[in-house]
């Protein structure tokens, strides 16, 4: 998200400077890639940088931009450079959450769209500024709510359907309830295996170690 916001800010600044569209798009892509490399070229940053490049590069080739196509090309490029990323939790989570946000938010927006429209019996030309502002505000709220809901559903904790996943002591780590369960498990067990080497996995391993595991 922060990479995308950086791209939008850079593009807005370049437009304010009066640069041509093509130059603005190429410079925005360069800024985004520079930021991604400076921050360590993590899967989330790399995915966002590649998506921005594909999404903003489409108009330069007289093609329509597509979020799903951009996401797919970003995944293929990352896997082409390192196929092991397919098995990395960070890669899986970042792409799955964003993909579900894209495909899940559209039906929600379409279902809620009637709530954002002006009175169907009122010609748009006769709507005053308050009615137009109210319609724009409701559209923004519906879009934000739809994307947030889809992202929340896509990031729900998921445990692989393998034998033993329902045994005592097998826990996911996503919310405060999971944290309490891990604290209780640390008082009962002496050893633990943390699956996943991302930020949450490192935090879980450090917390369990501090509790004597």
């Amino acid at each position: 998200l922060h990479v995308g916001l950086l791209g939008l800010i850079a593009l807005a600044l370049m437009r304010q400077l009066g640069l041509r569209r093509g130059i603005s798009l190429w410079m925005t892509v360069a800024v985004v890639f520079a930021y991604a490399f400076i921050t360590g070229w993590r899967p989330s940053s790399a995915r966002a940088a590649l998506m921005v490049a594909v999404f903003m590069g489409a108009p330069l080739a007289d093609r329509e931009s597509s979020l799903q196509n951009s996401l797919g090309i970003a995944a293929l490029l990352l896997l082409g450079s390192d196929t092991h990323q397919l098995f990395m939790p960070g890669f899986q989570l970042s792409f799955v959450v964003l993909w579900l946000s894209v495909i899940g938010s559209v039906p929600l927006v379409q279902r809620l769209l009637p709530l954002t429209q002006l009175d169907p019996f009122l010609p748009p030309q006769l709507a005053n500024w308050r009615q137009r502002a109210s319609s724009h505000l409701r559209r923004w709220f519906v879009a934000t709510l739809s994307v947030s809901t889809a992202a929340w559903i896509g990031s729900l904790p998921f445990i692989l359907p393998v034998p033993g996943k329902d045994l005592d002591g097998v826990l996911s780590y996503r919310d405060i309830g999971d944290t309490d369960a891990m604290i209780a498990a640390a008082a009962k067990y002496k050893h633990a295996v943390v699956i996943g080497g991302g930020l949450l996995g490192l935090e879980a391993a450090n917390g369990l170690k501090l509790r004597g595991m």
Side-chain angles (χ1 to χ4, degrees):
L1 179 60
H2 58 283
V3 177
L5 290 175
L6 176 65
L8 291 176
I9 293 172
L11 183 61
L13 289 175
M14 291 173 193
R15 286 181 175 176
Q16 290 296 322
L17 294 175
L19 299 177
R20 290 185 300 176
R21 183 186 183 190
I23 295 176
S24 298
L25 291 175
W26 283 117
M27 292 186 67
T28 299
V29 171
V31 168
V32 168
F33 268 90
Y35 176 81
F37 277 110
I38 290 173
T39 55
W41 196 246
R42 295 171 299 177
S44 57
S45 299
R47 177 211 70 213
L50 291 171
M51 282 191 61
V52 169
V54 174
F55 192 80
M56 291 189 172
L60 297 175
D62 294 326
R63 295 292 186 270
E64 183 179 354
S65 299
S66 170
L67 283 176
Q68 291 199 65
N69 289 343
S70 301
L71 184 62
I73 292 176
L76 289 176
L77 290 175
L78 285 176
L79 291 175
S81 62
D82 182 9
T83 56
H84 293 291
Q85 290 201 38
L86 180 62
F87 306 100
M88 297 294 292
F91 177 91
Q92 298 170 2
L93 182 62
S94 60
F95 276 92
V96 169
V97 170
L98 188 53
W99 180 67
L100 288 175
S101 298
V102 173
I103 66 170
S105 60
V106 173
L108 290 174
V109 169
Q110 292 176 345
R111 184 175 292 273
L112 297 175
L113 192 61
L115 300 177
T116 69
Q117 297 175 345
L118 295 169
D119 188 337
F121 297 101
L122 176 68
Q125 298 83 355
L126 300 180
N128 57 42
W129 69 269
R130 291 188 182 87
Q131 292 169 321
R132 292 194 181 95
S134 175
S135 177
H136 286 300
L137 182 60
R138 284 177 290 174
R139 287 183 182 179
W140 173 84
F141 178 77
V142 164
T144 303
L145 177 64
S146 300
V147 173
S148 299
T149 301
W152 171 74
I153 294 174
S155 61
L156 289 174
F158 172 74
I159 299 179
L160 293 175
V162 296
K165 69 180 183 65
D166 297 322
L167 296 175
D168 292 338
V170 179
L171 306 169
S172 60
Y173 182 27
R174 188 64 59 180
D175 55 28
I176 189 63
D178 296 333
T179 303
D180 292 336
M182 291 171 62
I183 292 174
K188 181 179 179 181
Y189 302 102
K190 297 299 181 182
H191 301 280
V193 175
V194 178
I195 301 176
L199 178 59
L200 291 180
L202 294 176
E203 288 181 347
N206 182 61
L208 293 174
K209 182 180 179 181
L210 293 175
R211 290 186 171 272
M213 297 190 77

